Amino acid sequence: MTINAEAPVAAARGGPVAAEREAEGSASATDLVLPLAAVGGVGILAGYGYLRRTRRARTRTTPGVISPHPPMTPLPVLERQAGAALVQADDCVRTSRDELAFAEARFGAEAVEPFAGALREAERELSAAFAIRLRYDGGVPEEEAARRHALAGIVGRCAEAGRRLDAEAPGFDQLRALERGMAEAQEVAEGRFRELAGRTGAVEATLADLTTRYPASATATVVGYGEQAKDRLVFATTHLNQSRQAADLGDTARAIGDLRAAEGAISQADILLNGIERLADSLTAAAGLVPAALTGAEAEIARATAKAAELRSHLTHADTVLATVRLEMTSGPYDPLDALRRIVRAVRALGGGRDGVLGAAALLTGRHDVDPADDFVTTHRGAVSAGARTLLAEAQRLTGTDPGAAGEQALKSRELAEQDVRVHGNPHAGTDEPTSGMSGAVLGGIVLNETPDGGPPLSFGGPETRRRRGLPPT
């Protein structure tokens, strides 16, 4: 091979020149083969590296690289998020309702109507969210994609409820004008405080009387309510005094925070005392209704007996219930509300009992079951889960149309809420000063348990505004 333009000359087979050219040819071939081999190796390595990079790009989750199939949030995580949204929205609604009552007491119903309207809208959104959760807990819908959509709907409804309250919080503050009208607001709160403090002794006496006239089951729903009411009032008087002192010193922010803490405790003390008085009224009404309910139930059983043989097992059960109630009435103290509840349930299984005296009995027992459950959730909301609140929302929805079913849901709600409180405990119990009332305030959700001193009191508003009147650090 030559690299010039001249005609090639045949090489001799022997001699030094031939040997030299042969050696040169051999070296040239070797020089050519080695680079080609190196290039081939580099190509193989480059291809392998490309494949590895491609594979990593498809699977890795480091920032800056978007996977074509991002991982989905596990369903249990979404369920916990939806539950937390329900609890927060429900707390916002309950707190807003409490403070709205103080504003109405001072300014009247007409002045607070725009804020009451916003609260009603928030309540509707929350009710819709609870309805979705109730169906979800019952397995509807079944497909995972649809269940994810349902959970997103719960979060969205709760967010809208909070947004409505957040939007009205500035206007609500302008109405209350606590910076300018602190003295008047303190007088309203102190007036309610004095009224409750004056009632406490009489209410405790009422409860003591109930415990002597009825078995323990009749008063189980209000056990400890007198002590809890006094605990809330201790907390209230402490913060009312601190609010007065802060106002005298010109520390308006501190005065407002202490006032809101006191108002929250006063509202819950009122709920607890009302619960005892309502129980006394319900027991009296139930005792007067039991004889008529027995008569009405017997008439329903007679009609059912003549109507269908397939109700035989229900008829036998109903007869047994009525006989048991009659025996209890003549054997000593008995629980008239529980007796009515059993009569109503026995007759409902026969397809009757929705009108007349049995309808009245169902309404009485249903309301008795729903109202105490609501009281318990309100005064223990720092520990009550979304599950108990969901059942309570369903019970409240059914109260007007099916009080018997409402009562059953309410009892389940109360049972679950009590379980939540037992499991949750109270981090302030046994650690705060005996006279501070902080444990009850934390358990009742009056203050957020975010700092060692209990955290800020809550105000009218949604998640973004309810902390705005926090207590300054001491």
Side-chain angles (χ1 to χ4, degrees):
M1 180 179 296
T2 63
I3 58 172
N4 54 31
E6 297 179 357
V9 178
R13 289 185 178 272
V17 176
E20 184 179 343
R21 289 186 176 178
E22 185 176 349
E24 291 176 358
S26 176
S28 299
T30 302
D31 291 343
L32 182 61
V33 170
L34 287 175
L36 288 174
V39 171
V42 171
I44 292 172
L45 291 173
Y48 177 69
Y50 171 77
L51 290 175
R52 290 189 62 185
R53 287 194 301 274
T54 302
R55 189 177 296 115
R56 286 199 303 268
R58 289 176 178 172
T59 58
R60 68 184 176 182
T61 59
T62 53
V65 177
I66 300 176
S67 172
H69 302 291
M72 299 182 70
T73 304
L75 206 58
V77 174
L78 296 178
E79 290 170 353
R80 288 194 295 271
Q81 292 172 351
L86 283 168
V87 169
Q88 185 181 69
D90 191 44
D91 283 350
C92 290
V93 165
R94 291 177 184 275
T95 300
S96 298
R97 189 184 298 137
D98 289 345
E99 188 174 3
L100 189 67
F102 283 94
E104 183 175 350
R106 183 180 171 197
F107 300 104
E110 185 176 352
V112 302
E113 177 53 33
F115 312 106
L119 180 59
R120 288 191 295 270
E121 292 177 7
E123 289 171 339
R124 283 193 289 269
E125 293 290 344
L126 181 59
S127 295
F130 276 127
I132 297 172
R133 183 59 187 253
L134 185 70
R135 293 192 296 270
Y136 183 94
D137 290 343
V140 179
E142 296 182 356
E143 300 79 9
E144 181 175 341
R147 290 177 73 77
R148 289 176 177 275
H149 183 72
L151 293 173
I154 293 172
V155 174
R157 292 279 190 173
C158 291
E160 180 60 19
R163 188 195 67 78
R164 291 294 300 119
L165 295 174
D166 281 329
E168 297 298 330
F172 184 78
D173 288 349
Q174 290 179 3
L175 173 68
R176 294 206 75 185
L178 293 177
E179 293 78 5
R180 301 187 304 275
M182 174 59 65
E184 293 82 355
Q186 288 170 336
E187 288 175 3
V188 171
E190 289 169 353
R192 286 191 63 184
F193 171 84
R194 287 191 295 269
E195 186 269 332
L196 292 172
R199 283 171 53 199
T200 301
V203 172
E204 286 187 314
T206 297
L207 180 58
D209 178 61
L210 294 178
T211 59
T212 61
R213 294 168 53 198
Y214 300 101
S217 63
T219 57
T221 58
V222 296
V223 169
Y225 273 24
E227 291 77 10
Q228 292 181 44
K230 289 189 289 187
D231 183 75
R232 301 297 197 275
L233 291 176
V234 166
F235 183 85
T237 192
T238 298
H239 286 277
L240 284 173
N241 289 334
Q242 292 178 354
S243 180
R244 284 286 187 184
Q245 294 168 4
D248 291 341
L249 295 173
D251 190 349
T252 304
R254 179 79 202 201
I256 293 174
D258 278 310
L259 176 64
R260 273 303 305 139
E263 288 175 344
I266 290 168
S267 293
Q268 292 197 8
D270 194 13
I271 290 171
L272 293 164
L273 294 177
N274 284 341
I276 296 174
E277 293 174 331
R278 185 178 58 241
L279 174 63
D281 293 340
S282 296
L283 286 170
T284 300
L289 196 56
V290 168
L294 285 168
T295 302
E298 289 171 348
E300 291 286 350
I301 290 173
R303 282 194 290 271
T305 302
K307 187 184 301 183
E310 62 267 17
L311 296 175
R312 186 168 301 153
S313 62
H314 295 304
L315 289 166
T316 301
H317 173 70
D319 281 329
T320 302
V321 168
L322 299 191
T324 302
V325 170
R326 289 188 181 281
L327 180 62
E328 291 174 355
M329 293 175 64
T330 58
S331 301
Y334 76 105
D335 183 348
L337 281 167
D338 182 62
L340 274 184
R341 188 183 297 114
R342 284 179 285 150
I343 293 171
V344 168
R345 287 178 179 173
V347 175
R348 283 182 66 219
L350 301 176
R354 299 184 181 275
D355 301 317
V357 65
L358 292 175
L363 187 60
L364 175 62
T365 57
R367 285 178 175 170
H368 167 74
D369 293 334
V370 173
D371 290 342
D374 185 56
D375 290 349
F376 188 88
V377 171
T378 298
T379 55
H380 298 76
R381 59 180 179 259
V384 177
S385 68
R389 299 176 195 235
T390 299
L391 294 175
L392 175 60
E394 178 64 5
Q396 291 170 328
R397 186 188 70 82
L398 292 170
T399 299
T401 58
D402 192 348
E408 293 177 5
Q409 293 284 5
L411 292 174
K412 293 177 184 177
S413 170
R414 175 67 181 262
E415 181 180 359
L416 185 55
E418 290 177 346
Q419 179 181 331
D420 290 336
V421 172
R422 288 193 298 270
V423 171
H424 181 274
N426 191 331
H428 284 265
T431 61
D432 58 330
E433 297 179 8
T435 59
S436 72
M438 180 60 74
S439 296
V442 170
L443 185 61
I446 297 168
V447 295
L448 289 175
N449 189 28
E450 296 179 343
T451 60
D453 65 351
L458 300 179
S459 300
F460 180 102
E464 300 299 322
T465 57
R466 63 178 184 157
R467 293 178 175 85
R468 66 189 180 279
R469 291 167 176 164
L471 294 173
T474 57

